Amino acid sequence: MRSYLILGMCTLFIIQYFAGAVWLQYVVVLLSLMAFLGSAGKADRIPRLLGLFMMSAGIIIEWNKGTGVAGISEGIFLILPLLSLITLAPLLAIPLRLGGYFKSVSRLLYNLLHHPQKLYAGITGTLFIVSPILNLGSVRIINEFLEDLKLPSVMSAKSYIVGFSTALMWSPYFASVSLVLHYLHVPFKDYVIYGMGISILSLVVGNVFFVIWEKRNPIAKEQTTIQRMEKKHRKKLMELILFVILLMIMCLFIESLTKWSMIVIVCLISIFVPLIFIAVTFKWKQAKPLWVDFRDRAVPMMNNEIMLFMSAGMLAFALKGTNVMNGVSQFLKVLANQSFFLFALAVLLIVFCLTYIGIHQIAVVGALAMQLNPAELGINSIALAFILLLTWYISTALSPFSGLNLMVSRFSHLSGVQVGLRINGLYILTVVTIGVAAISFL
C-alpha cells in the first residue's frame, strides 16, 4: 500500500508540474506527508530520529516566521522533485538487467583479480560508468560481484568511495546536482563540462593514490584462470557505455528544447526509457518480475531516504530568511568580496562540520543554495554551484552519517570514521584542493 502511495505522489507531482493547479499541489503535499509518517515506523533508528528532528525544527521555524500552513506546504513541495527523482531513477536498472550488462561487468572484474591495481581501476571505472544512473544501487551490485572474493577491507573502502563519488559532481540523476542546479537556476548544459572535468580528474587521482598505497601495502594476488573476454561481453560493455552517454545526451537535448526542469526530465526518462527498451526487445514477460520487485521491494525500502530528504528539505526552506542564515550570508558575502578562496574554504568548513554531526546535506547545502545570491557575492552561478557540489562531495564521502559511508562501512566491516577520514581523507582533500584552485583560476 505504501508503495502505491509513494508512486502516486511522484506521478501527481509530474502532472502538477505541467498542469500548474494549486489544489493539486496541496494534494501532493498531503500524500507526501502520509508517506513521511508511514516511513517513520519503518526507517532505521538514526534516520528516523534525524528525520523527525529536522522536520519538527523546520515546521516550528516556518510557523514562527508567520507563513502558517501555506509556508509549510511550500517547503515540503519544494523537495518533492528530489523525492520523485530518487524514487523513479532505479527503474533504469531494468533495461540493464534485461540486457545482461551486469554479467559482462562481472566477467570483466573476475578477469582482473590477478592484478590488484587493474582490479581497482576496473571497480572504480565501472562505478564511474553506472553510478550516474543507478546511484547507490551501483555499489550494492558491484559488492554482490565481489563479496565472495574477500577483498581487503581498505581496498573495498577506497574503491567504492572513489568510484561512486565521481558521479556526485555531475550526474543529473543525483540529488546533489539536481538540487543545487535547480535552486540556483543553472542549466545542466552550462554546468556539465565543469562537473565532468572534476569527476574524471578525481577518478585519476584516486587510482594514482591506490597505486602508491598498494606498493606500500602489497596485496596477495589471486590465483585465477584468466579467460579471454568473449566478443559478446566486450560488446555488452561498449553498449553499457553508449547507454549512459545516450541518457546524458537525451537530458541535454530535452532541456535545450523544452526548458523544463532537469529533475522532471530525468523522472520522465526514468519512466519511459525502460518501457521503450522492453517494447523494442519484446521482453514484457521477463520484465514483469523486475517491475514487481521495484514496486514491492525497492520503493518500500526507501524509508530512510524519505525521512531524511523530506525533513532536510523542509528545514532548508524554513532556514531561508532567518536571522541565522542572513548572518551567515552576510559573513560569506564579506569573505567573497575579499577572496574567493576564503569564501570557498568557509563554505566547505561550514557544510562539513554540520553534516559530520548528522545534519543532512540537503538541509545545509539546500539552505545555502536558496539563501546565497551569486550577484551579491560577486561570483557567477556556475562557480557557486561548483563550490556547493564540492561540499556535498566531501560530506557524502567523509560523514559517518551519509548513505554512502554507511553502506561502504557495512560492506567493508569498517567504522564510518575509518572509511571516511582515515582511509579516504587525504584523497578527498587533494581533489577538493584541485577543484577550488581550478574554479578560482577559471
Side-chain angles (χ1 to χ4, degrees), residues 279-292:
V280 171
T281 57
F282 299 101
K283 293 186 177 181
W284 296 102
K285 188 174 182 180
Q286 298 94 316
K288 184 177 179 180
L290 298 179
W291 285 104
V292 172

Side-chain angles (χ1 to χ4, degrees), residues 18-92:
F18 293 104
V22 177
W23 67 269
L24 189 55
Q25 175 177 329
Y26 284 102
V27 173
V28 179
V29 170
L30 180 61
L31 285 178
S32 63
L33 284 174
M34 292 171 63
F36 179 83
L37 294 174
S39 299
K42 304 289 184 178
D44 295 337
R45 181 172 177 270
I46 292 178
R48 180 172 65 249
L49 293 176
L50 288 174
L52 291 173
F53 166 75
M54 288 190 291
M55 178 62 80
S56 300
I59 290 175
I60 292 172
I61 293 171
E62 190 62 32
W63 188 269
N64 288 335
K65 287 163 64 176
T67 57
V69 175
I72 294 172
S73 175
E74 185 179 355
I76 294 174
F77 187 76
L78 278 177
I79 204 63
L80 287 180
L82 206 53
L83 286 176
S84 299
L85 183 146
I86 64 170
T87 301
L88 299 174
L91 284 170
L92 291 170

Side-chain angles (χ1 to χ4, degrees), residues 351-390:
V351 176
F352 173 73
C353 291
L354 291 176
T355 54
Y356 203 81
I357 62 174
I359 305 300
H360 198 276
Q361 296 96 320
I362 292 177
V364 186
V365 178
L368 288 173
M370 286 188 280
Q371 181 77 28
L372 298 177
N373 186 328
E376 293 180 355
L377 296 172
I379 61 178
N380 62 50
S381 298
I382 294 178
L384 180 57
F386 190 89
I387 292 300
L388 291 178
L389 285 169
L390 270 180

